[in-house]
Amino acid sequence: PARVMLQVRVAHVGPRHVLVLAEDRTEARRLEAIRRDFVVNVSHELKTPVGALSLLAETVGAAADDPDAVRRFAGRMQQESARLSALVHEIIELSRLQVAALSQTALVDVAAVLAEAVDRARTAATAKSITLDAGGQPGLQVYGDHALLVTAVRNLLDNAVRYSPEGTHVGVGARAVGDMVQIAVVDQGIGIRPDEQERVFERFYRVDPARSRETGGTGLGLSIVKHVAADHGGDVSIWSQPGKGSTFTLRIPAAHLPPQPERPHPEEV
Ligand code: ADP
């Protein structure tokens, strides 16, 4: 059972009366704890690349008369700065999503979102000989922020590529299901164990931290996806089987559905 945190205040309002105010602080406490953890995690995550960079700078200074070593260290410094820059970018993105409601809302063409996200994920996929394609129903529209939706789908595609072996296939498609548009990203990758599936949406949670860092992961991608989905009145869910692959499904309320063909009821035929 969940614990409830009550803040109780008592005031005398007369010789024979007291006023008791009880305020449920459970949610506020939970949010405070999440914020505190976030700050601790952010500092920890930032310290790693900053520490590595400063160490590398020191080493490169000491190796000034060995051009090969200088080149090697310079390469590593470039990698660490790229990681730092990705991390800062995602922290800012997530903070923005946490404080503000959607600022840019308009009718968004889902097929255009998928095409743009696929375009941006193409380089990483090609480097691993992973085929990448977008398909699905044309003409679907949602109401929201085009750029944020591209970011969300792109994060899912980047993960699909990151956690899949070479030569596999990654696909993204969209279709209308009831009043929702479902965008599914499917991979044939390493999959996620059932007991990890809920946790992967937490900030900085990684099933395998070393692997995630090595391949450029920040641990924030899926929490960004979750926020983007929520800000659009939707959600994100996961289906996965270790060793087989994963499917992440974003569900966003449809802005307008293409006209359904009028089909006579079977009994009327
Ligand atoms: P990261 O930047 O580490 O990829 P995410 O928040 O995007 O962070 O994902 C959290 C964790 O979930 C990853 O570290 C990885 O362990 C797991 N994960 C995410 N997507 C997939 C996927 N398509 N296949 C297997 N594991 C995944």
Side-chain angles (χ1 to χ4, degrees):
R3 275 220 290 195
V4 176
M5 175 79 199
L6 285 182
Q7 186 174 41
V8 180
R9 271 170 293 194
V10 182
H12 289 272
V13 288
R16 306 178 58 194
H17 294 90
V18 288
L19 183 67
V20 179
L21 276 171
E23 189 188 350
D24 183 353
R25 300 273 304 157
T26 319
E27 182 62 9
R29 273 298 180 99
R30 197 181 65 83
L31 292 177
E32 267 165 43
I34 289 176
R35 248 191 307 270
R36 214 170 31 234
D37 285 354
F38 185 52
V39 173
V40 171
N41 285 336
V42 164
S43 341
H44 176 80
E45 295 287 337
L46 287 174
K47 272 183 193 157
T48 315
V50 169
L53 270 174
S54 113
L55 203 67
L56 284 163
E58 224 173 273
T59 323
V60 87
D65 45 5
D66 179 352
D68 268 354
V70 169
R71 253 194 299 277
R72 219 169 40 243
F73 289 129
R76 299 243 338 253
M77 290 176 84
Q78 225 155 32
Q79 274 173 6
E80 292 297 334
S81 352
R83 172 181 305 172
L84 194 56
S85 142
L87 196 56
V88 168
H89 176 82
E90 297 215 320
I91 289 169
I92 292 171
E93 184 110 46
L94 190 56
S95 312
R96 236 198 331 244
L97 285 169
Q98 279 166 344
V99 294
L102 289 187
S103 52
Q104 309 258 344
T105 49
L107 267 185
V108 178
D109 176 32
V110 175
V113 168
L114 301 196
E116 201 173 322
V118 163
D119 236 29
R120 299 214 199 153
R122 180 80 65 199
T123 317
T126 309
K128 286 181 82 176
S129 312
I130 288 175
T131 51
L132 182 60
D133 67 43
Q137 220 169 308
L140 297 176
Q141 287 182 314
V142 295
Y143 198 65
D145 183 321
H146 176 92
L148 282 181
L149 289 166
V150 170
T151 299
V153 176
R154 196 222 160 145
N155 284 357
L156 292 176
L157 287 173
D158 282 345
N159 279 347
V161 169
R162 188 174 291 141
Y163 303 106
S164 290
E166 300 212 347
T168 52
H169 177 76
V170 168
V172 57
R175 63 194 183 120
V177 178
D179 292 340
M180 307 294 271
V181 171
Q182 288 194 358
I183 300 173
V185 173
V186 185
D187 70 48
Q188 304 169 325
I190 60 174
I192 304 169
R193 288 207 321 264
D195 57 313
E196 305 268 18
Q197 290 179 9
E198 270 303 305
R199 302 211 61 193
V200 293
F201 294 101
E202 291 172 22
R203 287 171 294 204
F204 295 118
Y205 186 81
R206 304 161 170 112
V207 176
D208 177 354
R211 180 186 184 125
S212 160
R213 288 210 182 85
E214 215 172 90
T215 49
T218 60
L220 290 176
L222 287 180
S223 26
I224 291 175
V225 175
K226 194 175 161 182
H227 271 279
V228 172
D231 285 352
H232 283 80
D235 57 25
V236 53
S237 61
I238 171 177
W239 174 94
S240 184
Q241 228 175 330
K244 286 250 167 73
S246 310
T247 298
F248 283 83
T249 307
L250 252 178
R251 297 191 322 145
I252 312 278
H256 126 94
L257 291 172
Q260 300 287 318
E262 288 268 338
R263 252 185 250 123
H265 196 268
E267 277 149 7
E268 292 168 17
V269 181

